[in-house]
Amino acid sequence: MRNDKRKKLAVLLSAAMLMSVLPASAFADSNRTPAEWSKLAETAPASGGIAMDEGVTAPVDVSITKSKAEALARQYVSIPKEYVLQGANLSMELLASGKRNAWGLDFVKKVNGKHLGSVYVRIHADSGQLLEFSSYSDNASSKPSYPLKVERDDAQQIALRFIQTIAADYKDSIRYNPEYGLQLLPPLTGEVLHTLRYDRMVNGIPYVDNYIELEVDSEGHVRRYSLQWDQTIVFPKIEAMLTAEQADAKLRTAAAPQLAYIVPYNVQGKKMPKLSYELLPIAIDAVTGELKGNGNMNTYRAGAVSVTPLTEKPVGEEPKSGTITEKQAVEAVKAAFKLPAEAELNGSNYSEQTDESTGRAEAFWNLSWTFKKDGKETGSTSASVDGHTGAIRSFNTYAYSDQGQADTPKVPLEQASALAIETVKKQLPWLTDELYFIKPDPKQYEDMKRNGNGRFYFSFVHKIHGAVIEYDSINVTVDSYSGEVVNYDAYLTGYEYPAKAPAVIEKDKAVAAWLDYYRTQLTYRLVQQFSWNGQPLPIEKYKLMLAAGEIKGDEVKAITEAELVYQLVPRLIDEALFLDAETGGWRNRETGEVTQLEKPKAKDIEGHWAQRQLELMVAYKALDVKNGEVRPNEAVTRGELIKMLVLARSSGHSPVMASADRLGAKASFNDVAADSSYFVYVESALEQNLIDVGDGSFNPSGKVSRDEMAELIVRALGYNALANYDHIFKASFKDSAQIENKGQAAIVVGLQIMSLADGKFLPKKQVTRGEASVAFFRYLQSRAELKEAPIRM
């Protein structure tokens, strides 16, 4: 019976850390010490539910029992009584120099078997401190309004009051991080969560890996809270360190930008690689200026890229395109890789397709074999062969059992490396002068027998004119027991590159540009060292031995130290960028379009009656800024109006067109070609039935009347069919006889999206850029207000 109870205790927490609509005012309203909370928990009422056996006791010695933890959770978060404790989990968490026990509690609300809400709370099992909570409520009638009731500044005040209530002891050791979670673009819906973070301050310096983080929704409800704090960290005393100016100079010297080809992924027309200068963020010691490794870098399969390619010149020619038969494909695989004598071909498939990115026709054979011994299947092999050239694209062989495998690996790393290089030379002879071997770190393969890893993994970098082709990959896996290649894959895109290396800007200019993109941050970070039996233990080896059960965590001495660094951190930019290596200018990584770090600001809308709405349209590039002017009183064009509408309907996201459109298929309108800046928006509007093809002309630079804009907005709201029954609308416009779309005019005026002038709708009047901006802002408001909750029967 006791074991059954303990099994109940170990019920795992809900997979998703969900959200709630509990108001901030509903949480605890007084400051108490952990001791006071513990005393309160002894008398606090327990859950009204019966999901868990109250007789269950914790199998470890902690100060806070499950029942106390539940009481604290209900006090901290004011969990309604109808939420029943369904699961509890007591876990131990490792800290820098110690450990911490924590209760994870999962509360659930169900009605007639339907899950209507959940609240997850994590409580420190010794001090009773709230460490985390998140919650969710299935409230179908919840309808966020637009514009937001609670903006970010107000949300920050709500967050501070919550911290004062829940974590008063920490409020003097934190500082608001104004950039974390900040949405640079104004929201286009009312469904917004403000993410707010308060960094831990040590000696006046932020330690950004310790913080208090909250989410506050646009209605003012605290939806999530997390206390990430490690009191066991020992921070060094810093007598003197580099100044910010000295650090910038050191970072500038240490920066090493690399040339790379990238392909913008949402371009109009045929995709073409762009040559960029890439610079990953780096860090230096704040005292000595020494370049530090990336503390967050994954060391899995780490290695150093060779300085020179496999060969100075290609060792062979690229195979000519033709037609490869199944027999030829099978023979190509057998000639390249070792297959067991008992291998039987049991699958063959030929397919053709057009590559969406390059527009090239592709063909390939997919082949598979099985191995049998004494009538029993013992392994399999699969391969893919280019159906035009016979080049092998991939090869993989797998044995179902390792019986007969030697006790220790027979092949050393050096021999396996040589085999991988030779394999690539034979399979890709025309590229050997462009491929660079990544020499693995030998530490990864120490004690291969002990950790059960019997394979060596090798990779190669593809460079053209010294620039890395980031989207190409060549990998080889060698079995350390048999000495055979067991996996090979060569993913090579078919993009076109210039025959000669293009002229690029100087590296100093690239560094200067990237240091404008990054900001320098002074912070602490942790460095962990392990030792076992008095000997240093690399972290990779420690993890492997721990996973294999060869050592226990308490047998290893861990020394965690904090170091002070200056590190590069990206500035707040509302788009992904890359630095054009040929021009030195910034481009959008999604579209490839020219852009800039500092967004242009319109000088001619300050104090304008539509200033806020114009700023919204400028922020989303629905309206352009030329020479610092947005020209609010000029007539809006049809192209601009459609772009506004499509962006408004998609929460500001540019539409991604189908591959056929990207590759230059015939446009729907004869005056909006695939290279037009309005192409994706016009095509998207057509797909959404917001506009019609008509006579085949769109006239993107044409002006828009109020009558036309009214119909467009009503279509976007989904009421256009209803508007055609204009007799059901009360519309006493003085100029009704001149209005072509009377029902639509009645709807937009009734919803206060468009207004009258002395009782007149003025249907023929051209719409200005300012008027269009206001109309679409009001459209966003109406769309939120018209959102209808389902009927409860």
Side-chain angles (χ1 to χ4, degrees):
M1 181 63 72
R2 173 64 72 183
N3 289 338
D4 291 339
K5 290 180 179 179
R6 290 190 176 183
K7 286 180 181 179
K8 290 180 181 179
L9 179 64
V11 173
L12 293 178
L13 301 175
S14 175
M17 301 303 183
L18 302 172
M19 310 295 177
S20 174
V21 290
L22 297 175
S25 59
F27 297 105
D29 57 0
S30 62
N31 299 327
R32 294 186 174 91
T33 65
E36 290 172 327
W37 278 115
S38 181
K39 183 176 181 180
L40 174 67
E42 294 176 1
T43 58
S47 166
I50 55 173
M52 293 191 66
D53 188 338
E54 293 299 326
V56 175
T57 57
V60 296
D61 183 20
V62 291
S63 300
I64 305 297
T65 64
K66 179 179 70 69
S67 59
K68 287 182 180 180
E70 179 185 355
L72 287 172
R74 291 184 178 276
Q75 288 289 339
Y76 279 133
V77 189
S78 266
I79 302 171
K81 291 182 178 180
E82 59 266 27
Y83 280 71
V84 176
L85 180 62
Q86 179 173 279
N89 182 296
L90 181 62
S91 61
M92 186 270 287
E93 305 163 0
L94 289 176
L95 303 176
S97 301
K99 59 184 180 180
R100 171 175 63 203
N101 294 309
W103 282 105
L105 307 173
D106 200 24
F107 300 86
V108 173
K109 176 184 178 182
K110 289 184 179 181
V111 176
N112 297 327
K114 183 179 179 182
H115 187 286
L116 296 181
S118 62
V119 179
Y120 170 72
V121 183
R122 199 158 60 90
I123 301 287
H124 195 302
D126 293 307
S127 70
Q129 174 68 49
L130 176 67
L131 299 176
E132 179 183 359
F133 94 83
S134 58
S135 47
Y136 163 79
S137 177
D138 183 11
N139 185 358
S141 63
S142 175
K143 186 176 65 175
S145 61
Y146 187 86
L148 310 185
K149 290 182 180 178
V150 175
E151 299 285 358
R152 186 174 176 87
D153 288 345
D154 295 328
Q156 185 185 350
Q157 298 306 312
I158 292 172
L160 284 173
R161 288 196 296 269
F162 187 82
I163 292 173
Q164 174 68 37
T165 299
I166 298 299
D169 292 343
Y170 296 85
K171 66 181 181 63
D172 294 329
S173 301
I174 56 176
R175 186 175 70 186
Y176 176 59
N177 186 332
E179 295 194 327
Y180 187 86
L182 179 65
Q183 293 179 289
L184 293 180
L185 292 174
L188 294 179
T189 72
E191 298 173 322
V192 171
L193 285 175
H194 300 291
T195 301
L196 306 161
R197 178 172 287 190
Y198 296 81
D199 294 328
R200 179 181 181 180
M201 300 299 294
V202 180
N203 302 322
I205 298 169
Y207 172 44
V208 296
D209 289 332
N210 274 189
Y211 51 82
I212 296 177
E213 185 173 306
L214 304 93
E215 283 183 355
V216 179
D217 68 19
S218 58
E219 302 291 307
H221 305 149
V222 178
R223 301 270 292 267
R224 184 175 65 85
Y225 168 85
S226 177
L227 173 65
Q228 299 291 333
W229 208 279
D230 187 347
Q231 297 281 21
T232 69
I233 300 173
V234 177
F235 293 90
K237 293 183 179 179
I238 306 297
E239 300 296 337
M241 63 182 181
L242 299 175
T243 64
E245 292 76 14
Q246 291 172 326
D248 285 340
K250 292 282 187 181
L251 287 165
R252 187 177 298 271
T253 301
Q258 299 294 320
L259 285 170
Y261 276 105
I262 69 168
V263 177
Y265 53 88
N266 187 19
V267 298
Q268 300 167 28
K270 186 178 179 180
K271 286 186 176 181
M272 295 294 291
K274 300 288 186 181
L275 187 58
S276 71
Y277 256 126
E278 302 288 309
L279 179 64
L280 295 176
I282 57 176
I284 60 170
D285 189 292
V287 177
T288 66
E290 174 190 1
L291 182 65
K292 308 293 290 188
N294 188 336
N296 297 321
M297 188 174 293
N298 189 347
T299 58
Y300 179 60
R301 298 185 190 175
V305 180
S306 59
V307 178
T308 57
L310 300 184
T311 60
E312 185 177 350
K313 295 181 179 180
V315 296
E317 296 182 354
E318 184 175 4
K320 295 180 179 180
S321 182
T323 301
I324 301 298
T325 65
E326 178 195 86
K327 182 179 179 181
Q328 290 172 321
V330 170
E331 291 303 319
V333 175
K334 289 183 176 180
F337 301 103
K338 184 177 179 180
L339 291 176
E342 62 272 18
E344 296 181 4
L345 184 69
N346 71 332
S348 174
N349 174 269
Y350 176 80
S351 60
E352 296 179 350
Q353 68 177 29
T354 299
D355 187 293
E356 294 182 357
S357 299
T358 64
R360 292 186 177 184
E362 292 184 332
F364 44 87
W365 285 98
N366 288 323
L367 309 170
S368 60
W369 291 262
T370 56
F371 317 146
K372 292 183 179 180
K373 186 175 182 181
D374 300 329
K376 184 179 180 181
E377 192 171 310
T378 59
S380 63
T381 293
S382 61
S384 177
V385 180
D386 191 302
H388 290 153
T389 65
I392 298 174
R393 298 156 54 101
S394 66
F395 169 84
N396 183 69
T397 187
Y398 176 73
Y400 299 157
S401 174
D402 59 359
Q403 292 180 359
Q405 182 174 279
D407 290 338
T408 57
K410 294 182 178 180
V411 180
L413 176 60
E414 293 76 11
Q415 183 179 336
S417 299
L419 176 59
I421 293 172
E422 190 61 29
T423 298
V424 171
K425 285 182 179 180
K426 288 182 178 179
Q427 300 306 314
L428 303 170
W430 67 95
L431 288 178
T432 55
D433 63 328
E434 297 179 355
L435 300 180
Y436 295 73
F437 180 58
I438 302 179
K439 187 176 182 180
D441 185 344
K443 291 181 180 178
Q444 297 171 94
Y445 297 108
E446 293 178 349
D447 301 325
M448 290 187 70
K449 176 62 179 178
R450 186 204 306 270
N451 59 47
N453 176 24
R455 294 184 170 187
F456 294 109
Y457 301 93
F458 305 100
S459 296
F460 297 78
V461 174
H462 185 195
K463 294 184 182 181
I464 294 180
H465 309 313
V468 175
I469 312 299
E470 294 187 339
Y471 34 83
D472 284 1
S473 65
I474 300 96
N475 303 286
V476 179
T477 304
V478 176
D479 187 278
S480 62
Y481 298 99
S482 66
E484 300 290 343
V485 173
V486 293
N487 179 269
Y488 164 84
D489 69 80
Y491 178 76
L492 300 169
T493 50
Y495 294 115
E496 298 176 2
Y497 299 92
K500 294 183 179 180
V504 298
I505 63 172
E506 297 176 356
K507 283 193 174 183
D508 288 347
K509 291 184 178 179
V511 170
W514 274 109
L515 291 185
D516 283 340
Y517 171 82
Y518 289 114
R519 62 183 175 87
T520 304
Q521 180 186 66
L522 176 64
T523 187
Y524 292 96
R525 68 179 189 181
L526 298 186
V527 178
Q528 202 165 33
Q529 298 177 346
F530 298 95
S531 63
W532 183 47
N533 293 332
Q535 298 296 320
L537 188 65
I539 187 170
E540 295 86 358
K541 187 173 181 179
Y542 164 71
K543 291 179 179 179
L544 288 170
M545 294 177 69
L546 190 65
E550 296 189 17
I551 58 174
K552 296 180 180 179
D554 54 7
E555 295 177 355
V556 177
K557 184 178 180 181
I559 302 175
T560 303
E561 299 177 343
E563 62 179 7
L564 188 62
V565 297
Y566 279 105
Q567 62 184 13
L568 295 181
V569 179
R571 295 183 186 274
L572 283 175
I573 305 292
D574 61 9
E575 57 184 329
L577 306 176
F578 72 90
L579 184 66
D580 190 315
E582 298 181 59
T583 67
W586 293 100
R587 289 183 178 271
N588 184 289
R589 193 174 284 267
E590 178 183 356
T591 65
E593 296 176 352
V594 173
T595 186
Q596 51 196 9
L597 294 182
E598 296 293 333
K599 297 299 181 285
K601 294 184 178 180
K603 298 177 293 185
D604 59 343
I605 62 174
E606 185 71 33
H608 191 277
W609 62 273
Q611 178 178 343
R612 180 186 181 189
Q613 294 85 353
L614 284 162
E615 289 173 342
L616 185 69
M617 293 297 113
V618 169
Y620 283 96
K621 298 182 180 178
L623 293 177
D624 61 333
V625 178
K626 293 182 178 179
N627 300 319
E629 295 182 344
V630 74
R631 310 173 304 285
N633 299 320
E634 285 187 10
V636 72
T637 67
R638 292 169 56 84
E640 291 170 338
L641 199 70
I642 285 297
K643 187 174 182 179
M644 284 184 187
L645 180 62
V646 172
L647 287 171
R649 284 174 59 86
S650 62
S651 299
H653 301 296
S654 298
V656 179
M657 301 304 298
S659 59
D661 295 324
R662 293 202 307 264
L663 294 174
K666 187 178 184 301
S668 300
F669 295 93
N670 55 32
D671 53 357
V672 185
D675 58 355
S676 168
S677 60
Y678 295 120
F679 177 75
V680 294
Y681 302 100
V682 171
E683 294 292 336
S684 177
L686 185 62
E687 288 180 4
Q688 298 178 63
N689 196 35
L690 300 176
I691 57 176
D692 302 314
V693 173
D695 62 1
S697 297
F698 177 73
N699 189 19
S701 60
K703 305 303 186 285
V704 181
S705 70
R706 285 169 54 85
D707 208 345
E708 291 171 326
M709 187 169 74
E711 182 185 17
L712 191 63
I713 290 174
V714 171
R715 275 200 181 201
L717 289 171
Y719 297 151
N720 202 53
L722 180 64
N724 291 330
Y725 298 91
D726 52 27
H727 62 279
I728 68 175
F729 297 99
K730 183 180 179 181
S732 55
F733 305 138
K734 292 180 179 180
D735 53 355
S736 292
Q738 303 173 28
I739 302 174
E740 182 177 348
N741 302 303
K742 293 182 175 62
Q744 288 86 346
I747 290 175
V748 294
V749 171
L751 294 175
Q752 298 182 343
I753 296 175
M754 296 176 68
S755 56
L756 300 177
D758 192 26
K760 295 181 179 180
F761 184 71
L762 305 176
K764 305 302 180 185
K765 182 180 181 295
Q766 292 182 349
V767 180
T768 68
R769 291 155 72 89
E771 290 168 340
S773 299
V774 170
F776 279 105
F777 183 83
R778 292 174 179 172
Y779 156 78
L780 294 171
Q781 287 179 289
S782 295
R783 185 179 64 172
E785 292 167 358
L786 292 169
K787 181 181 179 182
E788 189 171 351
I791 297 175
R792 296 291 187 184
M793 299 298 290

